[in-house]
Amino acid sequence: NQDQYLVVSFADGRKQHVRGPSSLFLDPVIHKTIHIKEAISLNAFEAIVVYQEIDPKHRDNGIEVSAVDSTTIATAIKLQEDL
């Protein structure tokens, strides 16, 4: 449903988030795992602040900060699973 998304882990180590509603067949040659996760819903005046470690070569402190608000909620499924 639209309140869920799929976290697809590939055999080559990549990870993909697929916005719901969606279905996917687990092909053991291509996929390692497929998990269903609950999406985060935001009201009009809410936001999520995300701190993410990045390669220090690209930034001085190796930390990137971004905010996701209700107008850009489609990008929320790209956030780390452990929010």
Side-chain angles (χ1 to χ4, degrees), residues 49-53 63-66 80 83:
V49 178
V50 180
Y51 292 86
Q52 180 178 2
E53 284 187 68
I63 302 289
E64 180 177 70
V65 180
S66 57
Q80 295 293 329
L83 274 180

Side-chain angles (χ1 to χ4, degrees), residues 5 38-40 42 47-52 66 68 73 75-83:
Y5 63 98
E38 294 297 319
I40 299 170
L42 298 178
I48 297 172
V49 178
V50 180
Y51 292 86
Q52 180 178 2
S66 57
V68 178
I73 192 61
T75 61
I77 63 172
K78 296 179 183 175
L79 302 177
Q80 295 293 329
E81 301 169 18
D82 299 330
L83 274 180

Side-chain angles (χ1 to χ4, degrees), residues 23-76:
S23 63
L24 187 64
F25 173 75
L26 183 120
D27 181 343
V29 175
I30 300 171
H31 305 111
K32 185 176 178 182
T33 61
I34 300 174
H35 296 287
I36 300 171
K37 300 287 185 172
E38 294 297 319
I40 299 170
S41 297
L42 298 178
N43 294 326
F45 301 104
E46 295 179 322
I48 297 172
V49 178
V50 180
Y51 292 86
Q52 180 178 2
E53 284 187 68
I54 59 171
D55 188 347
K57 292 184 282 185
H58 300 296
R59 296 277 175 124
D60 291 338
N61 60 5
I63 302 289
E64 180 177 70
V65 180
S66 57
V68 178
D69 61 27
S70 60
T71 60
T72 57
I73 192 61
T75 61

